[in-house]
Amino acid sequence: MKKTFFVMSFLLLMVVALSACGGLRYSQVAPGAQDFKPQSIGVLPVDVGAYEEARGVADQIISGVLVKKGWFADVVPPDKIKSQMDYNRTLRDMVVDYLTKLKTVNFSDPALSKSIGENFQVDAFLVVNVDFWNYTVEGSDKVAKVGFSVDLIEAQTGKIVWRAGHHEVEDYWVIKPDLSEVAKKVAAIMINEMPH
């Protein structure tokens, strides 16, 4: 009788543990996020860090997933934002200052955020970082690993409405999975969980 109870308890615990394994690896939603309904959103150029091969590709993937969702009247892609920054030094300095404060002291400057929103005509914008974009070995498995971290910023106030991080790992034997295809899966999973 005790053995049966132990086995049943263990199985129940495993079912609960496995059911909790879905979703994002990290997600933090600000209070009141359910009331945040932006009509337009911009994607700042993705910070690829050490993963140069993701440059440009990650930008297209993130903005492509947003457009495909159809949640927003307008999606301003990173290439459009970058071209405006290249043309306008003041605008470039403003975005760089904003991102520097966000990354170094975790401060979303409301004045800079508001200016970014006004200049790019968006209600919100995404700050995206590439956390992984490589082929590696984990244990004895060869894997393709792609991950992003994302901040959704309310442009008018600078409020970080949502902060999330997620990565996917696909193992392989001979044929390497295309990292951009893995990235599309990661982006779709993340954007699906984003307040809108």
Side-chain angles (χ1 to χ4, degrees):
M1 185 72 165
K2 286 184 179 181
K3 189 174 186 179
T4 304
F5 177 74
F6 174 75
V7 169
M8 294 302 286
S9 297
F10 177 75
L11 290 175
L12 181 62
L13 182 63
M14 290 305 294
V15 168
V16 170
L18 289 174
S19 67
C21 287
L24 302 179
R25 297 187 188 275
Y26 172 77
S27 180
Q28 179 182 0
V29 181
Q34 70 276 5
D35 300 325
F36 181 58
K37 306 289 181 198
Q39 295 300 304
S40 58
I41 190 165
V43 183
L44 297 185
V46 175
D47 182 352
V48 298
Y51 305 106
E52 275 302 313
E53 59 276 13
R55 189 169 305 284
V57 179
D59 291 334
Q60 292 174 355
I61 289 170
I62 299 292
S63 56
V65 170
L66 284 169
V67 168
K68 194 173 183 180
K69 278 292 182 188
W71 291 340
F72 306 100
D74 188 28
V75 175
V76 180
D79 57 342
K80 185 174 180 182
I81 289 176
K82 185 177 181 324
S83 69
Q84 289 181 21
M85 288 169 56
D86 289 345
Y87 177 74
N88 184 330
R89 183 183 176 129
T90 304
L91 188 56
R92 180 177 63 239
D93 291 345
M94 178 182 57
V95 172
V96 168
D97 287 349
Y98 175 82
L99 291 173
T100 301
K101 288 180 180 179
L102 185 66
K103 289 180 183 184
T104 57
V105 292
N106 197 28
F107 175 64
S108 177
D109 188 308
L112 291 173
S113 173
K114 185 176 181 180
S115 293
I116 290 170
E118 289 170 353
N119 278 280
F120 296 115
Q121 299 179 334
V122 294
D123 301 324
F125 57 91
L126 289 180
V127 177
V128 183
N129 296 291
V130 174
D131 297 330
F132 305 103
W133 189 285
N134 60 341
Y135 299 102
T136 188
V137 176
E138 291 187 353
S140 60
D141 298 327
K142 294 189 289 186
V143 299
K145 188 173 185 179
V146 175
F148 297 116
S149 54
V150 178
D151 289 345
L152 171 64
I153 312 295
E154 181 179 13
Q156 185 69 24
T157 64
K159 179 179 179 181
I160 301 173
V161 177
W162 177 67
R163 181 170 269 176
H166 188 67
H167 68 268
E168 289 288 319
V169 175
E170 289 190 12
D171 57 344
Y172 65 93
W173 289 82
V174 178
I175 300 173
K176 293 180 177 180
D178 184 343
L179 291 175
S180 63
E181 292 302 315
V182 180
K184 287 176 187 174
K185 291 178 190 175
V186 175
I189 290 168
M190 294 186 80
I191 299 302
N192 198 47
E193 298 290 326
M194 185 179 81
H196 62 282

